[in-house]
Amino acid sequence: MLVTGGAGFIGANFVHYTLNHKPEFEVTVIDKLTYAGNPDNLKSILDRVNFVTGDICDRELMDKLVAETDIVVHFAAESHNDNSLRNPWPFVETNIIGTYNILEAVRKHDKRLHHISTDEVFGDLELDDPNRFTEETPYNPSSPYSSTKAGSDHLVRAWIRSFGIKATISNCSNNYGPYQHIEKFIPRQITNILSDIKPKLYGTGEQVRDWIHVDDHNSAVHLIIEKGKLGDTYIIGADNDHVNNKAVIELICELMGKGADWYEHVNDRPGHDMRYAMNSTKLRTELGWQPQYTDQGGMREGLQATIDWYSENDEWWQAEKAKVEAKYAEQGQ
Ligand code: NAD
Ligand code: TDX
C-alpha cells in the first residue's frame, strides 16, 4: 500500500491504524514533509514502514512508486483553509497537479486508488437548514482550499469514467484527534489553554462542523478499500452536526478546568462556511460501517482523549506554538 501524506495528521493516524488492524499490508509512505508533515508522527513504527521523502508533484517519482504498489491511498494535500486565503498557489499545485500525477500513474500501471476528500466540496448549508450532504449533493466549494479539493475529486471522477481506473472516493467531515497540526481549531484551543492563552473563536461561533474522531474516519477508509464499489463515492460522518464552534470551545474549557466563558472572540474568517452536515447512510447500510465515538457524549470522550494526548506530548507542539500564533495575530485572529 502506498500512502501519500502519511506524515500528516490523518495519514499518520491511518498508517498507525493499518499496522495495528491490518498487518497484511506492507506500507510505503510518500510525504514532502511540508510544515504540516512530521516524521515523528510515525516515530514508533518507522522500522515497519518504508518512508520516502518526496513530492506528489514529481511525476517520475510518482510513476515509480505507483508501479511498485498494489493500492494508493491518497491523503497528501494542502489542508488549511486560512492558509489558502493567504496564498492559494500551493493548494493548486499539490491538490490538483499532484492528484493528476497520481491518476496518470494509476492509469498507466492499472492500480487501485482510494482518494481522500472533504465535505467542503459541497459548500455550506444555512444554519437552519436541516438537510445533510449526500453522495448526490452538487459541488459548490467556497474557499481556495475546498475548490482545489473539488477539482481533485472531479479529476478522479473523470479518470474513472473516461479511462475506467479502479478508484473510490470518500468525502469526510472535520476530523479531530492526536497528531493534528496546532493551526487547526481544536488543537489550537487545547494548546492555547495549556499555554495560558485564551481560546480564539472566529466571529460569533455559530458555525457548525460535523466532527468525527480520526480513527472513525480511518476505519471507514479501510472498509471502502475492502468492500467499496469501484467508481463510487462514500460520505463519511458521525452525526455530530448539532455542535457549533462556540459549544466545542466551551466544552474544551470545561474539560480543561477553565470557566466555560474563558475564551475570546476574534476576527471572522472571510467567506466562512456556516454549516456542514453529513448523511453517511450509504456507508452504514451498504458497507456496515459504525463510528466508535458517537454523539455529544462521544465527542466529550474523544475530546478528553485528545486533550490528554496534547497534554502528554507538549514536546510535539511547543516549538511551533509561538510561530502559529504570530501568524494568526497578523490577521487579528
Ligand atoms: P495535513 O495538512 O495534516 O497533512 C497533509 C500531509 O501531506 C502532510 O504530511 C504534508 O507534508 C503532506 N504533503 C503536502 N503537500 C505534499 C506534496 N506536494 N507531496 C507530498 N506530500 C505532501 O492534512 P490532514 O488534515 O491530515 O488531511 C489529509 C487529507 O484528508 C487531505 O486530503 C484533506 O483534504 C483530507 N480531509 C481532511 C479533513 C480534516 O478535518 N483534517 C477532513 C476531510 C478530509
Ligand atoms: O482559531 C480558530 N477559531 C475558530 O473559531 C480556528 C483555527 C478555527 N475556527 C473555526 C473555523 C471553522 O468554523 O473553527 C472551525 C474549524 O476550523 P478548522 O479547524 O480550520 O477547520 P475547517 O476550516 O472547518 O476545515 C477542516 O475540515 C475539513 C480541515 O482543516 C479541512 O482540511 C477539512 O477538509
Side-chain angles (χ1 to χ4, degrees):
M1 172 183 281
L2 177 65
V3 180
T4 73
F9 162 47
I10 307 177
N13 277 288
F14 179 81
V15 175
H16 282 277
Y17 187 96
T18 303
L19 295 189
N20 287 336
H21 298 276
K22 309 279 170 188
E24 64 274 23
F25 286 105
E26 259 175 53
V27 178
T28 296
V29 167
I30 154 97
D31 198 296
K32 186 179 174 182
L33 299 180
T34 67
Y35 79 97
N38 185 345
D40 279 355
N41 297 353
L42 301 172
K43 196 161 66 182
S44 58
I45 48 171
L46 262 186
D47 56 335
R48 297 165 63 198
V49 171
N50 175 25
F51 192 92
V52 179
T53 305
D55 191 334
I56 59 167
C57 298
D58 179 340
R59 194 160 172 191
E60 271 177 36
L61 176 64
M62 292 319 295
D63 185 79
K64 175 178 168 288
L65 292 175
V66 170
E68 290 165 356
T69 195
D70 292 328
I71 169 162
V72 184
V73 189
H74 177 31
F75 289 93
E78 285 291 337
S79 70
H80 193 39
N81 275 299
D82 292 321
N83 293 342
S84 81
L85 295 165
R86 294 184 197 113
N87 179 16
W89 169 243
F91 291 75
V92 174
E93 193 173 39
T94 286
N95 299 358
I96 297 187
I97 298 173
T99 301
Y100 163 81
N101 284 341
I102 290 167
L103 286 166
E104 282 296 78
V106 160
R107 171 158 87 109
K108 179 172 161 195
H109 300 291
D110 191 23
K111 298 297 167 85
R112 169 89 168 84
L113 168 68
H114 181 69
H115 174 66
I116 304 291
S117 192
T118 170
D119 53 3
E120 300 196 17
V121 298
F122 304 119
D124 63 347
L125 299 161
E126 299 290 335
L127 284 181
D128 58 358
D129 187 341
N131 288 309
R132 291 176 166 190
F133 300 134
T134 72
E135 287 79 4
E136 275 72 48
T137 303
Y139 277 39
N140 186 25
S142 318
S143 74
Y145 162 67
S146 54
S147 60
T148 58
K149 289 298 292 187
S152 70
D153 291 13
H154 286 313
L155 291 178
V156 178
R157 288 175 177 207
W159 261 243
I160 290 168
R161 175 151 175 175
S162 307
F163 305 123
I165 64 163
K166 297 178 292 194
T168 41
I169 300 175
S170 54
N171 296 87
C172 186
S173 54
N174 285 59
N175 286 219
Y176 70 96
Y179 303 113
Q180 185 167 29
H181 196 279
I182 57 169
E183 68 189 353
K184 302 294 196 314
F185 178 55
I186 287 178
R188 184 181 182 206
Q189 313 315 335
I190 295 171
T191 56
N192 274 346
I193 296 180
L194 291 172
S195 310
D196 211 27
I197 301 170
K198 281 193 172 177
K200 313 286 184 208
L201 188 62
Y202 289 177
T204 60
E206 294 165 289
Q207 293 77 11
V208 173
R209 297 295 183 262
D210 194 347
W211 293 101
I212 182 172
H213 192 276
V214 63
D215 287 344
D216 283 333
H217 182 180
N218 285 330
S219 73
V221 171
H222 264 294
L223 205 54
I224 298 166
I225 289 169
E226 275 165 39
K227 297 192 193 162
K229 187 164 167 260
L230 292 181
D232 271 23
T233 291
Y234 295 86
I235 293 276
I236 307 173
D239 296 345
N240 263 321
D241 61 323
H242 48 280
V243 194
N244 68 22
N245 292 344
K246 186 165 171 288
V248 173
I249 276 208
E250 287 171 353
L251 184 54
I252 293 173
C253 286
E254 182 204 318
L255 292 171
M256 296 185 72
K258 295 288 183 188
D261 60 352
W262 200 74
Y263 64 87
E264 58 192 24
H265 293 270
V266 293
N267 285 344
D268 208 349
R269 172 184 286 170
H272 199 169
D273 278 348
M274 292 310 290
R275 169 178 164 78
Y276 304 143
M278 300 296 256
N279 179 341
S280 55
T281 305
K282 175 179 174 182
L283 180 69
R284 292 172 194 246
T285 54
E286 290 185 15
L287 305 189
W289 177 77
Q290 279 294 330
Q292 297 303 306
Y293 295 86
T294 46
D295 64 58
Q296 177 75 47
M299 186 145 191
R300 181 177 275 270
E301 183 195 335
L303 267 183
Q304 184 62 61
T306 307
I307 291 167
D308 292 345
W309 190 86
Y310 283 90
S311 307
E312 286 156 16
N313 291 281
D314 60 336
E315 79 290 349
W316 185 85
W317 55 267
Q318 282 278 7
E320 287 292 302
K321 185 66 183 168
K323 205 164 62 193
V324 169
E325 290 307 313
K327 210 155 108 183
Y328 275 124
E330 282 171 21
Q331 323 283 328
Q333 293 179 321

